[in-house]
Amino acid sequence: MRFIVTAGPTREHLDPVRFLSNPSTGRMGFAVARAARAAGHDVTLIAGPVALRTPPGVRRVDVVSARDMLAAVLAELKADLRHPTCLVMTAAVADWRPARCAKTKLKKGEMSDTLKLVRNPDILKTINRSIRRATTGVPPVAPIRIGFAAETGVPDAEAARKCREKGLDLVVGNDVTRPDSGFGTSTNRVTLVTPDGRTQRLPLMSKLAVARRIVAFAERIASNG
Ligand code: CTP
């Protein structure tokens, strides 16, 4: 199977030296890429700005902003419509960007106290729309879609909402305020939520162990057709 994995934060620049972002380090996504490759899959990792080494055998595409990440995901999906594909969106995509991005550094005197923001596209929802539109010829097999829900508090209800609203096959929810499951940790304590409403709380595990569960889940869906 083919895995497309997004990882890390996105950066939304307001000038060449300032941006909006979040504390994601990309460790969960890199673990998914490593686990998928180790299981023999073809893996493309679309990474926001992170300081991690590419796992061996994985093809990496670097991006900066949410719009770059959307373009890279769409290009990867379109590049091969024949093979079963699983998209794993671990990236912490910035939902907003500054309305304007200056080409040169803004001087303090040129900046106002308020920053005008505009909404970024939702990558998963955009992909759902493009799957629905793909009706000519032999319809491509829709990719398996796995998302994450990073919440401040018990993630179950929000993970279930995101599973429904984003048409996902699996949502991996976690509470990022916990010291063992937040940004940059090597472990994660996650809840798996499926579209049938089932919720499975997993114990504390390494991110690589969580990644192996995600890969095994995708393999099960692919083999059930
Ligand atoms: N995601 C996405 N495009 C965005 C934002 C998020 O595809 N613009 C994906 C994330 O990669 C993740 C899932 O959607 O797999 C849930 O992301 P999250 O940030 O938890 O949720 P939001 O959609 O931003 O919703 P909310 O702001 O209500 O928490």
Side-chain angles (χ1 to χ4, degrees):
M1 188 168 23
R2 188 167 68 113
F3 275 78
I4 301 170
V5 183
T6 67
T10 64
R11 280 185 188 168
E12 311 298 327
H13 276 272
L14 58 140
D15 72 10
V17 298
R18 301 182 181 93
F19 54 80
L20 302 175
S21 193
N22 61 66
S24 170
T25 59
R27 287 177 86 152
M28 191 63 240
F30 276 59
V32 173
R34 184 180 293 277
R37 185 69 200 114
H41 302 292
D42 173 39
V43 184
T44 299
L45 176 59
I46 300 173
V50 295
L52 296 175
R53 266 210 220 120
T54 312
V58 166
R59 196 167 74 85
R60 174 165 168 179
V61 177
D62 286 314
V63 296
V64 176
S65 69
R67 287 186 298 173
D68 296 342
M69 187 171 276
L70 171 62
V73 171
L74 286 172
E76 289 302 323
L77 285 173
K78 281 182 195 146
D80 180 356
L81 298 174
R82 287 162 307 148
H83 290 102
T85 299
C86 176
L87 171 66
V88 188
M89 286 288 305
T90 77
V93 185
D95 290 312
W96 303 87
R97 67 177 183 275
R100 283 193 57 241
C101 175
K103 286 211 165 53
T104 53
K105 183 184 169 187
L106 292 165
K107 295 293 165 188
K108 278 192 285 298
E110 297 174 310
M111 293 175 75
S112 92
D113 292 343
T114 48
L115 186 58
K116 190 166 186 299
L117 301 176
V118 291
R119 283 290 284 273
N120 269 334
D122 187 294
I123 297 175
L124 284 167
K125 287 184 180 170
T126 308
I127 279 156
N128 289 344
R129 283 195 295 275
S130 85
I131 291 167
R132 281 199 296 272
R133 276 201 305 267
T135 51
T136 48
V138 179
V141 181
I144 297 165
R145 278 150 291 158
I146 298 179
F148 272 68
E151 307 296 337
T152 50
V154 178
D156 304 24
E158 276 301 282
R161 176 178 71 83
K162 288 172 188 176
C163 192
R164 272 195 315 277
E165 290 183 359
K166 301 199 183 206
L168 300 172
D169 298 288
L170 174 71
V171 176
V172 183
N174 67 332
D175 176 355
V176 292
T177 60
R178 293 184 67 108
D180 53 14
S181 346
F183 294 113
T185 57
S186 61
T187 54
N188 216 348
R189 192 187 291 275
V190 302
T191 301
L192 305 182
V193 178
T194 41
D196 56 10
R198 263 195 253 169
T199 295
Q200 188 187 5
R201 285 211 180 139
L202 300 183
L204 184 68
M205 339 175 138
S206 70
K207 284 187 173 169
L208 190 57
V210 174
R212 289 195 190 107
R213 298 287 282 254
I214 292 169
V215 171
F217 181 91
E219 286 168 343
R220 271 201 306 281
I221 298 193
S223 65
N224 291 340

